[in-house]
Amino acid sequence: VMLGSRGQAVAERVVAVGEALVLSRDPTEPWGDDKHLQEEHARLQPAPNGGVTVEGWGTGRVFRQVDERLRVRDGDLIRVGQSLVRYTATPSGWGTLTGYPLSAEPSRTVTVGGSGAVVGRDSGELEIPDDTYISGAHCQFSCRGDDLFIEDLGSANGTYVLVRSGESVPFGGLLLAGQTQFKVRRAAKKR
């Protein structure tokens, strides 16, 4: 289901087993005017265990909203506001976070310690002050054992993790492709 700017359903497409939905700048689709979508951005197919499998093409990125504590992996790219944060694991400790603001502001790298790290516009270990889509304290990285987790801190615009090509997103998941949001929902059964 394509969502509008207030989270309302704008358009719905049913994708049957064996079919795929191509997200692109197709002018016949309601999301076709999203300038941030590539000509062929991504393909969504029903996943074997429910939800959808995301196949990305070229530079087309699809992000999944973080709606609960989620384990992050080496190389994960996180969208915070309009900026990006990359997690890099290191042999000692939990790794580093590098913030890439979309403004002229330079990138900044911080080391994640045992107490974790907060990303925010005006507080936390990794501050990105020029991105007005980032909340004061936007998301938090926390350490458990050898693993690092991320959770949104009730931000106004959400926190999103890049879906790696071939990964599945369960029913209820919220996807961001370009600047367009999609809710993954189970199709109603035909009567």
PDB file of all heavy atoms in Angstrom, residues 69 94 112 114-117 140-144 147-151:
ATOM      1  N   ARG A  69      13.420  -2.900  18.397  1.00  0.00           N
ATOM      2  CA  ARG A  69      14.880  -3.034  18.465  1.00  0.00           C
ATOM      3  C   ARG A  69      15.321  -4.006  17.385  1.00  0.00           C
ATOM      4  O   ARG A  69      14.789  -5.102  17.256  1.00  0.00           O
ATOM      5  CB  ARG A  69      15.289  -3.535  19.843  1.00  0.00           C
ATOM      6  CG  ARG A  69      16.796  -3.654  19.987  1.00  0.00           C
ATOM      7  CD  ARG A  69      17.208  -3.967  21.390  1.00  0.00           C
ATOM      8  NE  ARG A  69      16.986  -2.766  22.175  1.00  0.00           N
ATOM      9  CZ  ARG A  69      16.746  -2.774  23.466  1.00  0.00           C
ATOM     10  NH1 ARG A  69      16.669  -3.904  24.117  1.00  0.00           N
ATOM     11  NH2 ARG A  69      16.577  -1.651  24.120  1.00  0.00           N
ATOM     12  N   TRP A  94      32.616  -2.461  19.545  1.00  0.00           N
ATOM     13  CA  TRP A  94      31.387  -2.663  18.793  1.00  0.00           C
ATOM     14  C   TRP A  94      31.405  -1.995  17.436  1.00  0.00           C
ATOM     15  O   TRP A  94      30.529  -2.217  16.638  1.00  0.00           O
ATOM     16  CB  TRP A  94      30.185  -2.176  19.608  1.00  0.00           C
ATOM     17  CG  TRP A  94      29.871  -3.127  20.711  1.00  0.00           C
ATOM     18  CD1 TRP A  94      29.096  -4.236  20.618  1.00  0.00           C
ATOM     19  CD2 TRP A  94      30.332  -3.079  22.045  1.00  0.00           C
ATOM     20  NE1 TRP A  94      29.045  -4.899  21.816  1.00  0.00           N
ATOM     21  CE2 TRP A  94      29.801  -4.190  22.728  1.00  0.00           C
ATOM     22  CE3 TRP A  94      31.155  -2.206  22.755  1.00  0.00           C
ATOM     23  CZ2 TRP A  94      30.045  -4.457  24.051  1.00  0.00           C
ATOM     24  CZ3 TRP A  94      31.397  -2.466  24.091  1.00  0.00           C
ATOM     25  CH2 TRP A  94      30.855  -3.584  24.726  1.00  0.00           C
ATOM     26  N   VAL A 112      31.527   3.441  18.849  1.00  0.00           N
ATOM     27  CA  VAL A 112      30.450   2.987  19.734  1.00  0.00           C
ATOM     28  C   VAL A 112      31.088   2.275  20.914  1.00  0.00           C
ATOM     29  O   VAL A 112      31.841   1.317  20.729  1.00  0.00           O
ATOM     30  CB  VAL A 112      29.484   2.036  19.002  1.00  0.00           C
ATOM     31  CG1 VAL A 112      28.385   1.571  19.939  1.00  0.00           C
ATOM     32  CG2 VAL A 112      28.898   2.700  17.773  1.00  0.00           C
ATOM     33  N   GLY A 114      30.619   0.612  25.030  1.00  0.00           N
ATOM     34  CA  GLY A 114      29.718  -0.321  25.703  1.00  0.00           C
ATOM     35  C   GLY A 114      28.390   0.283  26.094  1.00  0.00           C
ATOM     36  O   GLY A 114      27.389  -0.419  26.239  1.00  0.00           O
ATOM     37  N   SER A 115      28.345   1.608  26.268  1.00  0.00           N
ATOM     38  CA  SER A 115      27.079   2.256  26.625  1.00  0.00           C
ATOM     39  C   SER A 115      26.270   2.634  25.390  1.00  0.00           C
ATOM     40  O   SER A 115      25.195   3.219  25.502  1.00  0.00           O
ATOM     41  CB  SER A 115      27.348   3.494  27.477  1.00  0.00           C
ATOM     42  OG  SER A 115      28.157   4.411  26.766  1.00  0.00           O
ATOM     43  N   GLY A 116      26.769   2.304  24.182  1.00  0.00           N
ATOM     44  CA  GLY A 116      26.031   2.587  22.961  1.00  0.00           C
ATOM     45  C   GLY A 116      26.251   4.005  22.482  1.00  0.00           C
ATOM     46  O   GLY A 116      27.228   4.653  22.842  1.00  0.00           O
ATOM     47  N   ALA A 117      25.320   4.486  21.668  1.00  0.00           N
ATOM     48  CA  ALA A 117      25.422   5.837  21.123  1.00  0.00           C
ATOM     49  C   ALA A 117      24.045   6.314  20.688  1.00  0.00           C
ATOM     50  O   ALA A 117      23.223   5.527  20.239  1.00  0.00           O
ATOM     51  CB  ALA A 117      26.383   5.862  19.932  1.00  0.00           C
ATOM     52  N   GLN A 140      18.820   5.301  18.909  1.00  0.00           N
ATOM     53  CA  GLN A 140      19.850   4.862  19.842  1.00  0.00           C
ATOM     54  C   GLN A 140      20.421   3.522  19.402  1.00  0.00           C
ATOM     55  O   GLN A 140      19.686   2.622  18.998  1.00  0.00           O
ATOM     56  CB  GLN A 140      19.259   4.716  21.233  1.00  0.00           C
ATOM     57  CG  GLN A 140      20.237   4.203  22.262  1.00  0.00           C
ATOM     58  CD  GLN A 140      19.634   4.206  23.657  1.00  0.00           C
ATOM     59  OE1 GLN A 140      18.559   4.724  23.885  1.00  0.00           O
ATOM     60  NE2 GLN A 140      20.356   3.615  24.582  1.00  0.00           N
ATOM     61  N   PHE A 141      21.734   3.409  19.499  1.00  0.00           N
ATOM     62  CA  PHE A 141      22.432   2.148  19.286  1.00  0.00           C
ATOM     63  C   PHE A 141      22.802   1.613  20.661  1.00  0.00           C
ATOM     64  O   PHE A 141      23.346   2.348  21.489  1.00  0.00           O
ATOM     65  CB  PHE A 141      23.698   2.364  18.452  1.00  0.00           C
ATOM     66  CG  PHE A 141      23.405   2.717  17.022  1.00  0.00           C
ATOM     67  CD1 PHE A 141      23.139   4.025  16.659  1.00  0.00           C
ATOM     68  CD2 PHE A 141      23.392   1.733  16.048  1.00  0.00           C
ATOM     69  CE1 PHE A 141      22.862   4.356  15.346  1.00  0.00           C
ATOM     70  CE2 PHE A 141      23.119   2.052  14.724  1.00  0.00           C
ATOM     71  CZ  PHE A 141      22.849   3.369  14.380  1.00  0.00           C
ATOM     72  N   SER A 142      22.481   0.344  20.926  1.00  0.00           N
ATOM     73  CA  SER A 142      22.805  -0.239  22.222  1.00  0.00           C
ATOM     74  C   SER A 142      23.510  -1.577  22.019  1.00  0.00           C
ATOM     75  O   SER A 142      23.260  -2.286  21.048  1.00  0.00           O
ATOM     76  CB  SER A 142      21.543  -0.422  23.070  1.00  0.00           C
ATOM     77  OG  SER A 142      20.592  -1.207  22.384  1.00  0.00           O
ATOM     78  N   CYS A 143      24.394  -1.892  22.961  1.00  0.00           N
ATOM     79  CA  CYS A 143      25.219  -3.095  22.884  1.00  0.00           C
ATOM     80  C   CYS A 143      24.639  -4.174  23.785  1.00  0.00           C
ATOM     81  O   CYS A 143      24.255  -3.904  24.923  1.00  0.00           O
ATOM     82  CB  CYS A 143      26.642  -2.776  23.329  1.00  0.00           C
ATOM     83  SG  CYS A 143      27.350  -1.375  22.434  1.00  0.00           S
ATOM     84  N   ARG A 144      24.588  -5.391  23.260  1.00  0.00           N
ATOM     85  CA  ARG A 144      24.191  -6.563  24.039  1.00  0.00           C
ATOM     86  C   ARG A 144      25.122  -7.684  23.638  1.00  0.00           C
ATOM     87  O   ARG A 144      25.089  -8.133  22.490  1.00  0.00           O
ATOM     88  CB  ARG A 144      22.748  -6.964  23.728  1.00  0.00           C
ATOM     89  CG  ARG A 144      21.738  -5.951  24.186  1.00  0.00           C
ATOM     90  CD  ARG A 144      20.718  -6.632  25.050  1.00  0.00           C
ATOM     91  NE  ARG A 144      19.853  -5.617  25.634  1.00  0.00           N
ATOM     92  CZ  ARG A 144      18.562  -5.673  25.640  1.00  0.00           C
ATOM     93  NH1 ARG A 144      17.941  -6.698  25.104  1.00  0.00           N
ATOM     94  NH2 ARG A 144      17.855  -4.735  26.217  1.00  0.00           N
ATOM     95  N   ASP A 147      26.717  -8.042  20.055  1.00  0.00           N
ATOM     96  CA  ASP A 147      25.842  -7.495  19.032  1.00  0.00           C
ATOM     97  C   ASP A 147      25.493  -6.036  19.301  1.00  0.00           C
ATOM     98  O   ASP A 147      25.476  -5.582  20.449  1.00  0.00           O
ATOM     99  CB  ASP A 147      24.541  -8.305  18.950  1.00  0.00           C
ATOM    100  CG  ASP A 147      24.780  -9.721  18.451  1.00  0.00           C
ATOM    101  OD1 ASP A 147      25.669  -9.905  17.599  1.00  0.00           O
ATOM    102  OD2 ASP A 147      24.073 -10.630  18.912  1.00  0.00           O
ATOM    103  N   LEU A 148      25.176  -5.323  18.222  1.00  0.00           N
ATOM    104  CA  LEU A 148      24.749  -3.929  18.305  1.00  0.00           C
ATOM    105  C   LEU A 148      23.324  -3.855  17.764  1.00  0.00           C
ATOM    106  O   LEU A 148      23.004  -4.450  16.735  1.00  0.00           O
ATOM    107  CB  LEU A 148      25.682  -3.032  17.486  1.00  0.00           C
ATOM    108  CG  LEU A 148      25.437  -1.531  17.606  1.00  0.00           C
ATOM    109  CD1 LEU A 148      25.766  -1.039  19.019  1.00  0.00           C
ATOM    110  CD2 LEU A 148      26.267  -0.773  16.589  1.00  0.00           C
ATOM    111  N   PHE A 149      22.476  -3.130  18.473  1.00  0.00           N
ATOM    112  CA  PHE A 149      21.073  -2.984  18.093  1.00  0.00           C
ATOM    113  C   PHE A 149      20.743  -1.515  17.915  1.00  0.00           C
ATOM    114  O   PHE A 149      21.364  -0.646  18.530  1.00  0.00           O
ATOM    115  CB  PHE A 149      20.161  -3.584  19.178  1.00  0.00           C
ATOM    116  CG  PHE A 149      20.297  -5.070  19.312  1.00  0.00           C
ATOM    117  CD1 PHE A 149      21.290  -5.629  20.100  1.00  0.00           C
ATOM    118  CD2 PHE A 149      19.429  -5.909  18.632  1.00  0.00           C
ATOM    119  CE1 PHE A 149      21.416  -6.998  20.223  1.00  0.00           C
ATOM    120  CE2 PHE A 149      19.551  -7.286  18.739  1.00  0.00           C
ATOM    121  CZ  PHE A 149      20.542  -7.830  19.540  1.00  0.00           C
ATOM    122  N   ILE A 150      19.728  -1.238  17.098  1.00  0.00           N
ATOM    123  CA  ILE A 150      19.243   0.124  16.906  1.00  0.00           C
ATOM    124  C   ILE A 150      17.765   0.156  17.243  1.00  0.00           C
ATOM    125  O   ILE A 150      17.041  -0.819  17.015  1.00  0.00           O
ATOM    126  CB  ILE A 150      19.480   0.611  15.458  1.00  0.00           C
ATOM    127  CG1 ILE A 150      19.098   2.082  15.321  1.00  0.00           C
ATOM    128  CG2 ILE A 150      18.731  -0.242  14.458  1.00  0.00           C
ATOM    129  CD1 ILE A 150      19.446   2.702  13.986  1.00  0.00           C
ATOM    130  N   GLU A 151      17.343   1.272  17.816  1.00  0.00           N
ATOM    131  CA  GLU A 151      15.912   1.497  18.017  1.00  0.00           C
ATOM    132  C   GLU A 151      15.619   2.979  17.857  1.00  0.00           C
ATOM    133  O   GLU A 151      16.459   3.830  18.159  1.00  0.00           O
ATOM    134  CB  GLU A 151      15.432   0.969  19.363  1.00  0.00           C
ATOM    135  CG  GLU A 151      16.013   1.643  20.571  1.00  0.00           C
ATOM    136  CD  GLU A 151      15.531   0.989  21.867  1.00  0.00           C
ATOM    137  OE1 GLU A 151      14.312   0.841  22.057  1.00  0.00           O
ATOM    138  OE2 GLU A 151      16.393   0.616  22.668  1.00  0.00           O
TER     139      GLU A 151
END
